[in-house]
Coordinates of all heavy atoms in Angstrom, one line a residue:
Y10 N -4.9 3.9 -13.7 CA -5.3 5.3 -13.5 C -6.6 5.6 -14.3 O -7.5 6.2 -13.8 CB -4.2 6.2 -14.0 CG -4.4 7.7 -14.0 CD1 -3.9 8.4 -12.9 CD2 -5.0 8.4 -15.0 CE1 -4.1 9.8 -12.8 CE2 -5.2 9.8 -14.9 CZ -4.7 10.5 -13.9 OH -4.9 11.8 -13.8
N11 N -6.6 5.1 -15.6 CA -7.8 5.4 -16.4 C -9.0 4.6 -16.0 O -10.1 5.1 -16.1 CB -7.4 5.1 -17.9 CG -6.5 6.1 -18.4 OD1 -6.5 7.3 -18.1 ND2 -5.5 5.6 -19.3
T12 N -8.8 3.4 -15.5 CA -9.9 2.5 -15.1 C -10.6 3.1 -13.8 O -11.8 3.2 -13.8 CB -9.4 1.1 -14.8 OG1 -8.9 0.5 -16.1 CG2 -10.6 0.3 -14.3
I13 N -9.8 3.4 -12.8 CA -10.4 3.9 -11.6 C -11.0 5.3 -11.7 O -11.7 5.7 -10.8 CB -9.4 3.8 -10.4 CG1 -8.3 4.8 -10.6 CG2 -8.9 2.4 -10.2 CD1 -7.3 4.9 -9.3
A14 N -10.6 6.0 -12.7 CA -11.3 7.3 -12.9 C -12.8 7.2 -13.0 O -13.5 8.1 -12.5 CB -10.7 7.9 -14.2
N15 N -13.3 6.0 -13.6 CA -14.7 5.9 -13.7 C -15.3 4.6 -13.1 O -16.5 4.5 -12.9 CB -15.1 5.9 -15.2 CG -14.7 7.2 -15.9 OD1 -15.4 8.2 -15.6 ND2 -13.7 7.2 -16.6
D16 N -14.4 3.6 -12.8 CA -14.9 2.3 -12.3 C -14.9 2.4 -10.7 O -13.9 2.4 -10.1 CB -13.9 1.2 -12.7 CG -14.3 -0.2 -12.3 OD1 -14.8 -0.3 -11.1 OD2 -14.2 -1.1 -13.1
A17 N -16.1 2.6 -10.2 CA -16.2 2.8 -8.8 C -15.7 1.7 -7.9 O -15.2 1.9 -6.8 CB -17.7 3.1 -8.4
R18 N -15.8 0.4 -8.4 CA -15.3 -0.7 -7.6 C -13.8 -0.7 -7.5 O -13.3 -0.8 -6.3 CB -15.9 -2.0 -8.2 CG -15.7 -3.3 -7.3 CD -14.3 -3.9 -7.3 NE -14.1 -4.5 -8.6 CZ -12.9 -5.1 -8.9 NH1 -11.9 -5.2 -8.0 NH2 -12.7 -5.7 -10.1
Q19 N -13.1 -0.6 -8.6 CA -11.7 -0.6 -8.5 C -11.2 0.7 -7.8 O -10.2 0.7 -7.1 CB -11.1 -0.7 -9.9 CG -11.2 -2.1 -10.5 CD -10.2 -2.4 -11.6 OE1 -9.1 -2.0 -11.6 NE2 -10.6 -3.2 -12.6
A20 N -11.9 1.8 -8.0 CA -11.5 3.0 -7.3 C -11.6 2.8 -5.8 O -10.7 3.2 -5.0 CB -12.4 4.1 -7.7
Y21 N -12.7 2.1 -5.4 CA -12.9 1.8 -3.9 C -11.7 1.0 -3.4 O -11.2 1.2 -2.3 CB -14.2 1.1 -3.7 CG -14.4 0.6 -2.3 CD1 -14.9 1.5 -1.3 CD2 -14.1 -0.7 -2.0 CE1 -15.0 1.1 0.0 CE2 -14.2 -1.1 -0.7 CZ -14.7 -0.3 0.3 OH -14.9 -0.7 1.6
D22 N -11.3 0.0 -4.2 CA -10.2 -0.9 -3.8 C -8.9 -0.1 -3.6 O -8.2 -0.3 -2.6 CB -10.0 -2.0 -4.8 CG -11.2 -2.9 -4.9 OD1 -12.0 -2.9 -4.0 OD2 -11.3 -3.5 -6.0
V23 N -8.6 0.8 -4.5 CA -7.3 1.6 -4.4 C -7.5 2.5 -3.2 O -6.5 2.7 -2.5 CB -7.1 2.4 -5.7 CG1 -6.0 3.4 -5.6 CG2 -6.8 1.4 -6.9
I24 N -8.6 3.2 -3.1 CA -8.8 4.1 -2.0 C -8.6 3.3 -0.6 O -8.0 3.8 0.3 CB -10.2 4.7 -2.0 CG1 -10.2 5.7 -3.2 CG2 -10.5 5.5 -0.7 CD1 -11.7 6.2 -3.6
T25 N -9.2 2.1 -0.6 CA -9.1 1.3 0.7 C -7.7 0.9 0.9 O -7.2 1.0 2.1 CB -10.0 0.0 0.5 OG1 -11.4 0.4 0.3 CG2 -9.9 -0.9 1.7
G26 N -6.9 0.6 -0.1 CA -5.5 0.2 0.1 C -4.7 1.4 0.6 O -3.9 1.3 1.5
I27 N -5.0 2.6 0.0 CA -4.2 3.8 0.4 C -4.5 4.1 1.9 O -3.6 4.3 2.7 CB -4.6 5.0 -0.4 CG1 -4.1 4.8 -1.9 CG2 -4.0 6.3 0.2 CD1 -4.6 5.9 -2.8
K28 N -5.8 4.0 2.3 CA -6.2 4.4 3.7 C -5.6 3.3 4.7 O -5.3 3.6 5.8 CB -7.7 4.5 3.8 CG -8.3 5.7 3.1 CD -9.8 5.7 3.2 CE -10.2 6.0 4.6 NZ -11.7 6.1 4.7
A29 N -5.5 2.1 4.2 CA -4.9 1.0 5.1 C -3.5 1.3 5.4 O -3.0 0.9 6.5 CB -5.1 -0.3 4.4
V30 N -2.7 1.9 4.5 CA -1.4 2.2 4.8 C -1.2 3.5 5.5 O -0.5 3.6 6.5 CB -0.6 2.3 3.4 CG1 0.9 2.7 3.7 CG2 -0.7 1.0 2.7
D31 N -1.8 4.6 5.0 CA -1.7 5.9 5.6 C -2.7 6.9 5.0 O -2.6 7.3 3.8 CB -0.3 6.5 5.3 CG 0.0 7.8 5.9 OD1 -0.9 8.4 6.5 OD2 1.1 8.3 5.9
S32 N -3.7 7.2 5.8 CA -4.8 8.0 5.3 C -4.4 9.4 5.0 O -5.2 10.2 4.4 CB -6.0 8.0 6.2 OG -5.6 8.5 7.5
S33 N -3.2 9.8 5.4 CA -2.8 11.2 5.1 C -2.1 11.3 3.7 O -1.9 12.4 3.3 CB -1.7 11.6 6.2 OG -0.4 11.0 6.0
L34 N -1.9 10.2 3.1 CA -1.4 10.2 1.7 C -2.5 10.9 0.7 O -3.6 10.4 0.7 CB -1.1 8.8 1.2 CG 0.1 8.2 1.9 CD1 0.2 6.7 1.4 CD2 1.4 8.9 1.6
A35 N -2.0 11.8 0.0 CA -2.9 12.4 -1.0 C -3.0 11.5 -2.2 O -2.2 10.7 -2.5 CB -2.4 13.8 -1.4
L36 N -4.1 11.7 -3.0 CA -4.3 11.0 -4.2 C -4.3 11.9 -5.4 O -5.0 12.9 -5.4 CB -5.7 10.2 -4.2 CG -6.1 9.5 -5.5 CD1 -5.1 8.3 -5.8 CD2 -7.5 9.1 -5.5
L37 N -3.4 11.7 -6.3 CA -3.3 12.5 -7.5 C -4.2 11.8 -8.6 O -4.0 10.7 -8.9 CB -1.9 12.5 -8.0 CG -1.5 13.6 -9.1 CD1 -1.9 15.0 -8.7 CD2 0.0 13.5 -9.3
A38 N -5.2 12.6 -9.1 CA -6.3 11.9 -9.9 C -6.6 12.8 -11.1 O -6.3 14.0 -11.1 CB -7.5 11.6 -9.1
L39 N -7.3 12.2 -12.1 CA -7.7 12.9 -13.3 C -8.8 13.9 -13.0 O -9.8 13.6 -12.5 CB -8.2 11.8 -14.3 CG -8.7 12.4 -15.7 CD1 -7.5 13.0 -16.4 CD2 -9.3 11.3 -16.5
S40 N -8.5 15.1 -13.4 CA -9.4 16.2 -13.1 C -10.8 15.9 -13.8 O -10.9 15.5 -14.9 CB -8.9 17.5 -13.8 OG -9.8 18.6 -13.6
G41 N -11.9 16.1 -13.0 CA -13.2 16.0 -13.4 C -13.7 14.6 -13.4 O -14.9 14.3 -13.7
A42 N -12.9 13.6 -13.1 CA -13.4 12.2 -13.1 C -14.1 11.9 -11.8 O -13.9 12.5 -10.8 CB -12.2 11.2 -13.2
P43 N -15.1 10.9 -11.9 CA -15.9 10.5 -10.7 C -15.0 10.1 -9.5 O -15.5 10.4 -8.3 CB -16.7 9.4 -11.2 CG -16.8 9.6 -12.6 CD -15.6 10.2 -13.1
I44 N -13.8 9.6 -9.7 CA -13.0 9.2 -8.5 C -12.7 10.4 -7.6 O -12.4 10.2 -6.4 CB -11.7 8.5 -9.0 CG1 -11.1 7.8 -7.8 CG2 -10.8 9.4 -9.7 CD1 -9.8 7.0 -8.1
V45 N -12.6 11.6 -8.2 CA -12.2 12.7 -7.4 C -13.2 12.9 -6.2 O -12.8 12.9 -5.0 CB -12.2 14.0 -8.2 CG1 -12.0 15.2 -7.4 CG2 -11.1 13.9 -9.3
E46 N -14.5 12.9 -6.5 CA -15.5 13.0 -5.4 C -15.6 11.8 -4.6 O -15.8 11.8 -3.3 CB -16.8 13.4 -6.0 CG -16.9 14.8 -6.6 CD -16.4 15.9 -5.6 OE1 -16.7 15.8 -4.4 OE2 -15.6 16.8 -6.0
Q47 N -15.4 10.6 -5.2 CA -15.5 9.3 -4.4 C -14.3 9.3 -3.4 O -14.6 8.9 -2.2 CB -15.3 8.2 -5.4 CG -15.5 6.8 -4.7 CD -15.4 5.6 -5.7 OE1 -15.3 5.8 -6.9 NE2 -15.3 4.4 -5.2
A48 N -13.2 9.7 -3.8 CA -12.0 9.6 -2.8 C -12.1 10.7 -1.7 O -11.9 10.5 -0.6 CB -10.7 9.8 -3.6
R49 N -12.6 11.9 -2.2 CA -12.8 13.0 -1.2 C -13.9 12.5 -0.1 O -13.8 12.8 1.1 CB -13.2 14.2 -1.8 CG -12.0 15.0 -2.5 CD -12.4 16.2 -3.3 NE -11.2 16.8 -3.9 CZ -11.2 17.7 -4.8 NH1 -12.4 18.0 -5.4 NH2 -10.1 18.2 -5.3
A50 N -15.0 11.9 -0.6 CA -16.0 11.5 0.3 C -15.5 10.4 1.3 O -16.0 10.3 2.4 CB -17.2 10.9 -0.5

């Protein structure tokens, strides 16, 4: 959780994994962290 908040590569991997299973799944993330906009994009 803490790593992907700021690590764009690992965040991308988690986002990719989620979308591969079900893109309708929401992501619960740390408020204000870069992953928020990365996942929304």
Side-chain angles (χ1 to χ4, degrees):
Y10 180 95
N11 291 323
T12 296
I13 66 172
N15 297 287
D16 186 318
R18 194 275 294 178
Q19 288 201 35
Y21 172 83
D22 297 340
V23 170
I24 292 166
T25 299
I27 294 171
K28 292 179 68 176
V30 177
D31 183 353
S32 60
S33 72
L34 293 172
L36 174 66
L37 192 56
L39 180 65
S40 179
I44 190 176
V45 173
E46 292 308 317
Q47 184 179 353
R49 284 173 176 164

